[in-house]
Amino acid sequence: MTDAAGHVRGRARVVRPNRAQLTWDLVDPEAWLPADHVARLVWSFVMTLDLAALYDKVEAREGEPGRPPADPAVQLSLWLLATIEGIGSARELDRLSERDLAYRWLSCGVPINHHGLADFRVAHADVLDELLSDSLAAFMSEGLINIDEIIVDGTKVKACAGKSSFKRAVRLDEAVAAAKQRVAKLKSEVDADPAASTKRREAARQRAARETEARAVKAKAKLAEIAKERQERAKRSPKEIAGQKETRASLTDADARRMRFADGAVRSGYNVQLATTTDHGFITAVKATDRRQDSGLARPMIEETERRLGKSVKRLLADTGYASTDDIAALGSRMENPVAAYVTPPADKENIKPQNLLAREKKRAKEPNVIKDWRKRMASEEGQAVMQRRGRIERVNAQAKNRGLGTMLVRGLAKVQCVALWHALAHNLATALRLRADAAAAGAA
């Protein structure tokens, strides 16, 4: 047996599309969409991917009971098209698969439901990560990507957790105790009178109570982690911690943090890190974090880009404070393929005492040559010209936000990472399709 891309998949059993044998409303589905429709382009792209890892996870097997799941290639295509078009709800995608021609063409009679779509979206982070690498390699082989120069930046996304869900330790203890009492009460009611309610309804009530207890326990564990981080920050900078409120964790999404967004408002959220090329804005690395600040994240993002593409980065562009002097020194001092950092240094104090100015000059005189070179580079006209390209990542951030990345409909850092990977895949595919169309138009002219 082979999958939709022609790979031998053993005895995995899935429901696959078969447009040659399908007729809806006495109309040929192939006539529904023009040849250059984005749905057809998405399907063609998916057919070039190695989906062996997804088919290996299919549990249904020939000769065994049970309804086979939908073809992973179909689900992958549906979510890619949905992400490109800014749709992040599994229920909405389920509805479109029944009513919209483009999504019906992709599903092509394969039974789809929102539960399966929701599970598929967040269940394969490892596969999505590998597909991102493979697709970038394919685009690079076409000559669409140049990774000599990489921009890194973080963008805040709103978590699926309200302000009132953040509780102090004492409130979390109360929530855990209340949830345990609720589970025990429901169990005792069933034991006392099994016919008190239907089995399905009672099972749902008990499951909801157990989930509430699990969320409260997770929030307590996260609160302890936050408190430990706060103690470490207090040792380094007591003034930063002084006057801050008691630490809190969310009962709704324990991984979410309260953080300040670009508009100045404080919300529950995540900090999604992106690395992009300066030429066309391909996303080469993506990492969802609960970090409030971006400092210290430039180096791992560059290393992730190099690992993913198997090529070395020559220049790093980042905002002030994103890369520390240690990061700049480490990247610039590599024995092979050093990276030249273009990061605007923090502004020096102007009104400074002579003795402090002398101390600063002496300290900088002892800095390694790579840091001295960085300071000279950023003070030059060439350095300022290069830094003008740093703002190009804001366009990528804006495009991702317009496609729905700005507000999470899932909970937990692992699921947010999956959503971020979907957006990276969709953004890169949309960028590649645009570049191909531009090249075709130029060739025709």
Side-chain angles (χ1 to χ4, degrees), residues 147-226:
I147 70 163
D148 286 351
E149 194 171 85
I150 295 295
I151 318 171
V152 293
D153 192 23
T155 184
K156 304 289 179 62
V157 299
K158 187 178 179 181
C160 190
K163 179 180 179 180
S164 61
S165 71
F166 285 79
K167 307 294 183 182
R168 295 175 292 142
V170 62
R171 298 302 182 193
L172 291 178
D173 290 336
E174 293 173 358
V176 172
K180 289 182 177 180
Q181 291 177 3
R182 177 67 173 165
V183 172
K185 180 181 178 181
L186 291 173
K187 187 176 184 301
S188 64
E189 289 177 355
V190 173
D191 293 340
D193 185 8
S197 59
T198 64
K199 292 183 178 180
R200 179 177 296 180
R201 181 183 302 173
E202 191 58 37
R205 293 171 64 193
Q206 292 191 37
R207 182 172 63 252
R210 288 193 298 269
E211 290 175 353
T212 300
E213 179 183 357
R215 288 199 301 269
V217 171
K218 185 176 181 180
K220 282 190 62 178
K222 177 60 69 171
L223 188 65
E225 180 183 326
I226 296 172

Side-chain angles (χ1 to χ4, degrees), residues 65 80 99 110 170 194 209 217 248 262 291 296 335 337 367:
L80 277 177
R99 304 180 184 179
V110 173
V170 62
V217 171
R248 288 171 167 80
R291 294 271 301 272
M335 296 298 295
N337 305 311
E367 289 178 338

